Amino acid sequence: MDISDLKVFEAVSRLGSMNRAAQELNTVQSNVTARIRTLEQDLGVSLFQRHARGVSTTPAGQRVLPFVSRIARLLADARMAAQDEGVPSGALSLGSLETTAALRLSGLLSRFAKAYPAVRLVLATGTTRKLVDEVLACRLEGAFVAGPISHPELSWQVVFREELVLVTARNHRSIDELAAVADLKTIVFQIGCSYRQRLEALLAERGTVTARPLEFGSLEAIISCVSAGVGVTLLPRSVVAGAWQEGRIAIHDLPPGRSEVDTLFVRRADGYVSSALSAFLDMAQASFGASGT
């Protein structure tokens, strides 16, 4: 097997299309098709089921797929280790929750960029589920996510603890009033957001009937909709403090045991910790007083 063939296989499997894989890999479809055929002949199995909409990965292909990311990661780690002279440099791809990036990381990222100008830091935002998947797939070296997290392939450390509050329009004076709202809407990030899951559990426990959630991709859009009375949300107090002080929203304390959530930094337990990542974690610990596990 050739690593380039395995990379083509991963792209086709992820995208479900030979043509889209060719576009992503900046090649022609005939080259992708030839590489997949060569790999299938080498393994002696069919990796894809062809159909009118594209391709789907066969059971044999699904069994091969985890090894592709592990092989690619080992090769990337080997290259990184060989080139790492102990001075932070090169690319550093990290992820973060939208709320954490908006409030907590701007100062840290600015200080890191000034201290290590040779590092090309890229920050992607997403939900906890998406970020964890990206770390496991080795597309991110690490990410700030909401705890708790339990996965045998991940290492994590607590970065800071947030206090969650229920956020409503100003005319709601207590959480109890929400039970009387017909078809109450929740304003949330996409599925995979831990704050969304906590909000749904909280309202369900109180017998509050909710309509289908309204999903938004930005923090400001969520706060604006809540301010306009469209629905309610659950966010860290520190994130919504400004909007509350401006009189745009009301915030409500949660019952004991529901209000605290740890923000964690997760990375692959078996991944190579580059000088750039090590320097970033040291700076994060100095900034937030992180404790590791």
Side-chain angles (χ1 to χ4, degrees), residues 9 43-48 57-66:
F9 163 66
L43 294 173
V45 296
S46 295
L47 298 174
F48 294 104
T57 312
T58 64
Q62 292 289 350
R63 294 192 296 270
V64 171
L65 197 56

Side-chain angles (χ1 to χ4, degrees), residues 29-49:
Q29 182 173 339
S30 59
N31 186 38
V32 170
T33 303
R35 285 182 175 273
I36 293 299
R37 186 179 297 112
T38 298
L39 185 58
E40 289 178 325
Q41 290 174 350
D42 186 26
L43 294 173
V45 296
S46 295
L47 298 174
F48 294 104
Q49 179 69 42

Side-chain angles (χ1 to χ4, degrees), residues 163-166 175 202 234 252-260:
E163 179 191 2
L164 296 177
V165 292
L166 184 71
I175 298 179
L202 174 69
L234 189 73
H252 311 274
D253 294 339
L254 301 184
R258 287 291 187 186
S259 60
E260 292 185 341

